[in-house]
């Protein structure tokens, strides 16, 4: 092999990768800042940038430039970067699960969580069965229905957290109750998703399925009762020794643990991102370490990796695949079922536990936000072959719509509610006149 020729080939690929990264990161930042000016959290703009750069808009109006910038030849590079970013993102999401953060009214938290799963799960399962028949989709209808039902049940903890922080309601009763219910909902949702992934990848081989489920359960038990005590002791020692700072050696140890956990879930047969999430979850009560990790990792993951993931999702999201009125009709049904299921289930559960009507509606609206977490789930369905391109588009549209509607609707519900005093002194309220 001629090293000069080989190096020239690598440089050519590197140039195309660099060009894509420049476009992706710049678009994410510009769109994020624009959306903040429009009264939305920056993450909503970052999601929009990924979709705008896809075939539905950029590819449709500037096809030649689109294919030049997003050269399919470097697609595998961005696929790997996207997956690495997801592993780190899921690690950070796992860190945010505060399993001890339950207010006094635990019954309400549990009820809202169950309501936020049961109703959307039932609606999603029923709708998916009809869609599988009416749209003549291939593959197992049971896998498809289970996945759709799970996707309908997800609440986006990272996006919801960022919205609540901007609106200054994290320390209110409603905010505390909602984030606790959302954490419980997503913990159950990710568990169900892991099992569904195992079922789908077992191709209904009972022995293979039983083996995968047993391995998932064993992995969870080992993480909870073996790894967690070890890493929490390491965390306490490291934080004490270094004055609350995460050293380079400490960061290296954490990254190794995250990647090893991801490798194990990959070998089990479920996605590597589950390993990242699980490793983050075992540190959930290590507040000092969590703050140090965010200081080291959060900005880089948010600025570099997440835009790649959003763009990678956008490149798969093609409005051109929605040919015919029937597809758009079912797209509307998906959005309606998602909103009615999540908002209705959570609001009703809150009302049955004595929460006033306006505050119960606020809880329902916040629990209805899907955002990043939903996009991750949808991509899992696409990777496993459960979701065809048309349904992938429908679910992306649902995830975006339910996220974008959250802040504007909340602003209309806040006045006269128990969170009004906290909201009106927020920087967000200072930028936007209350409505």
């Amino acid at each position: 092999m001629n090293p000069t020729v080989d190096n020239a080939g690598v440089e050519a690929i590197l140039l195309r990768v660099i060009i894509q990264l420049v476009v992706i990161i710049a678009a994410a930042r510009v769109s994020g800042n624009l959306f903040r000016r429009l009264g939305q959290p920056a993450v909503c703009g970052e999601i929009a940038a990924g979709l705008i750069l896809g075939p539905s808009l950029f590819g449709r109006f500037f096809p030649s430039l689109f294919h030049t910038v997003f050269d399919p030849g470097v697609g595998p590079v961005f696929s790997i970067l996207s997956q690495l970013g997801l592993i780190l993102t899921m690690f950070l999401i796992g860190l945010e699960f505060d399993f001890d953060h339950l207010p006094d009214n635990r019954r309400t938290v549990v009820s809202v969580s169950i309501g936020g799963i049961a109703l959307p799960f039932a609606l999603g399962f029923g709708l998916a069965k009809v869609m599988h028949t009416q749209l003549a989709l291939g593959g197992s209808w049971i896998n498809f229905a289970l996945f759709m039902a799970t996707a309908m049940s997800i609440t986006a903890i990272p996006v919801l957290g960022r919205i609540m922080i901007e609106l200054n309601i994290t320390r209110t009763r409603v905010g505390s109750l909602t984030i606790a219910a959302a954490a419980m909902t997503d913990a159950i949702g990710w568990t169900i998703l892991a099992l569904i992934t195992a079922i789908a990848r077992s191709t209904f081989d009972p022995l293979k399925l039983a083996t995968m489920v047993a391995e998932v359960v064993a992995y969870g038990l080992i993480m909870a009762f073996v790894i967690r005590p070890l890493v929490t002791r390491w965390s306490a020692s490291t934080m004490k020794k270094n004055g609350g700072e995460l050293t380079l050696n400490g960061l290296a140890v954490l990254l190794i643990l995250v990647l090893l956990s991801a490798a194990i879930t990959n070998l089990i047969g479920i996605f590597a991102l589950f390993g990242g999430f699980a490793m983050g979850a075992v540190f959930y009560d290590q507040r000092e370490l969590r703050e140090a990790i965010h200081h080291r990792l959060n900005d880089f993951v948010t600025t570099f990796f997440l835009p790649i993931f959003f763009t990678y999702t956008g490149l798969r999201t093609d409005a051109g695949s929605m040919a015919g009125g029937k597809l758009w009709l079912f797209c509307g049904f998906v959005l309606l079922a998602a909103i009615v299921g999540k908002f209705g289930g959570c609001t009703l559960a809150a009302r049955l536990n004595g929460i006033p009507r306006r505050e119960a509606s606020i809880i329902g609206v916040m629990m209805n936000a899907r955002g990043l977490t939903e996009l991750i789930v949808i991509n899992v369905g696409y990777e496993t072959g459960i979701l065809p391109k048309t349904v992938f588009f429908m679910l992306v549209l649902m995830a975006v719509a339910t996220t974008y509607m959250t802040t504007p609707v909340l602003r209309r519900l806040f006045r006269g509610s128990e969170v009004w005093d906290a909201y009106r002194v927020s920087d967000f309220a200072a930028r936007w006149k209350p409505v």
Side-chain angles (χ1 to χ4, degrees), residues 21 24-25 28-29 43 46 81-93 95 158 162 251 255 258 293-310 372 376:
L21 288 174
I24 290 170
I25 294 172
R29 296 274 44 86
V43 68
E46 294 161 10
L81 285 175
S82 175
Q83 293 304 309
L84 286 173
L86 279 187
I87 292 170
L88 293 176
T89 299
M90 292 304 295
F91 170 65
L92 294 175
I93 290 174
L95 288 172
R162 288 171 70 172
L251 179 61
L255 290 176
V258 172
I293 291 171
H294 276 290
H295 180 71
R296 284 281 192 182
L297 275 181
N298 194 66
D299 289 347
F300 182 71
V301 172
T302 300
T303 306
F304 183 79
F305 280 116
L306 276 186
I308 294 174
F309 169 69
F310 290 141
L372 170 63
I376 293 173

Side-chain angles (χ1 to χ4, degrees), residues 258-274:
V258 172
L259 294 174
L260 283 175
S261 181
I264 291 170
T265 54
N266 179 280
L267 290 172
I268 289 174
I270 58 177
F271 279 85
L273 61 88
F274 290 115

Side-chain angles (χ1 to χ4, degrees), residues 336-372:
L336 181 63
I339 295 174
V340 170
K342 182 66 79 170
F343 173 79
C346 295
T347 302
L348 179 61
R351 290 288 292 135
L352 290 175
N353 281 274
I355 302 296
R357 180 177 59 83
R358 186 171 287 269
E359 283 75 9
S361 298
I362 291 172
I363 292 170
V365 170
M366 288 196 289
M367 291 289 287
N368 188 49
R370 263 72 172 200
L372 170 63

Side-chain angles (χ1 to χ4, degrees), residues 31-286:
S31 185
N33 291 332
L34 176 61
F35 269 64
R36 281 181 62 86
R37 292 177 178 273
L38 295 175
Q40 291 278 13
V43 68
C44 292
E46 294 161 10
I47 294 172
L51 298 176
I52 290 169
L53 291 175
S56 298
L57 292 171
F58 185 35
R60 180 178 180 182
F61 295 106
F62 305 96
S64 179
L65 184 58
F66 172 77
H67 289 294
T68 299
V69 173
F70 295 104
D71 184 348
V74 296
V77 175
F78 281 89
S79 175
I80 296 299
L81 285 175
S82 175
Q83 293 304 309
L84 286 173
L86 279 187
I87 292 170
L88 293 176
T89 299
M90 292 304 295
F91 170 65
L92 294 175
I93 290 174
L95 288 172
E96 294 302 317
F97 273 61
D98 190 350
F99 298 102
D100 292 331
H101 189 198
L102 293 176
D104 294 333
N105 45 356
R106 294 171 183 266
R107 177 182 169 185
T108 303
V109 172
V110 174
S111 297
V112 171
S113 177
I114 293 174
I117 293 175
L119 185 55
F121 194 95
L123 291 177
F125 190 91
L127 177 60
K129 191 176 187 306
V130 174
M131 288 174 63
H132 196 275
T133 301
Q134 292 295 317
L135 300 180
L137 302 178
S140 166
W141 78 266
I142 295 178
N143 285 352
F144 178 71
L146 285 173
F147 187 87
M148 283 282 289
T150 305
M152 293 284 191
S153 306
I154 294 295
T155 294
I157 285 283
V159 173
L160 177 58
R162 288 171 70 172
I163 290 174
M164 291 173 65
I165 289 171
E166 288 206 38
L167 301 181
N168 194 39
I169 61 171
T170 54
R171 295 186 178 275
T172 64
R173 181 180 70 124
V174 168
S176 176
L177 191 155
T178 303
I179 204 69
M184 185 178 296
T185 298
D186 277 10
I188 296 170
W190 283 111
T191 302
I192 295 173
L193 184 62
L195 291 175
I196 291 173
T197 303
I199 292 171
R201 291 195 159 187
S202 71
T203 61
F204 286 110
D205 179 336
L207 180 60
K208 185 177 180 181
L209 173 59
T211 301
M212 292 180 71
V213 171
E215 289 174 343
V216 170
V217 172
Y219 166 78
L221 292 174
I222 291 171
M223 290 294 288
F225 297 106
V226 179
I227 302 300
R228 174 168 156 73
L230 292 174
V231 297
T232 51
R233 282 200 294 270
W234 170 82
S235 166
S237 173
T238 299
M239 291 295 97
K240 183 178 180 180
K241 181 180 178 181
N242 299 290
E245 295 291 327
L246 185 62
T247 64
L248 290 179
N249 287 337
L251 179 61
V253 170
L254 273 176
L255 290 176
I256 289 170
L257 290 173
V258 172
L259 294 174
L260 283 175
S261 181
I264 291 170
T265 54
N266 179 280
L267 290 172
I268 289 174
I270 58 177
F271 279 85
L273 61 88
F274 290 115
F277 172 80
M279 185 53 68
V282 301
F283 286 107
Y284 78 92
D285 59 349
Q286 302 298 297

Side-chain angles (χ1 to χ4, degrees), residues 320-392:
S321 65
M322 299 288 289
K326 180 184 282 190
L327 288 172
W328 285 105
L329 178 64
F330 275 109
C331 185
F333 285 149
V334 167
L335 181 59
L336 181 63
I339 295 174
V340 170
K342 182 66 79 170
F343 173 79
C346 295
T347 302
L348 179 61
R351 290 288 292 135
L352 290 175
N353 281 274
I355 302 296
R357 180 177 59 83
R358 186 171 287 269
E359 283 75 9
S361 298
I362 291 172
I363 292 170
V365 170
M366 288 196 289
M367 291 289 287
N368 188 49
R370 263 72 172 200
L372 170 63
T373 312
E374 180 74 7
L375 293 178
I376 293 173
V377 172
I378 295 167
N379 276 276
V380 169
Y382 191 87
E383 293 284 352
T384 53
I386 297 174
L387 296 181
K389 203 163 191 176
T390 50
V391 180
F392 181 83

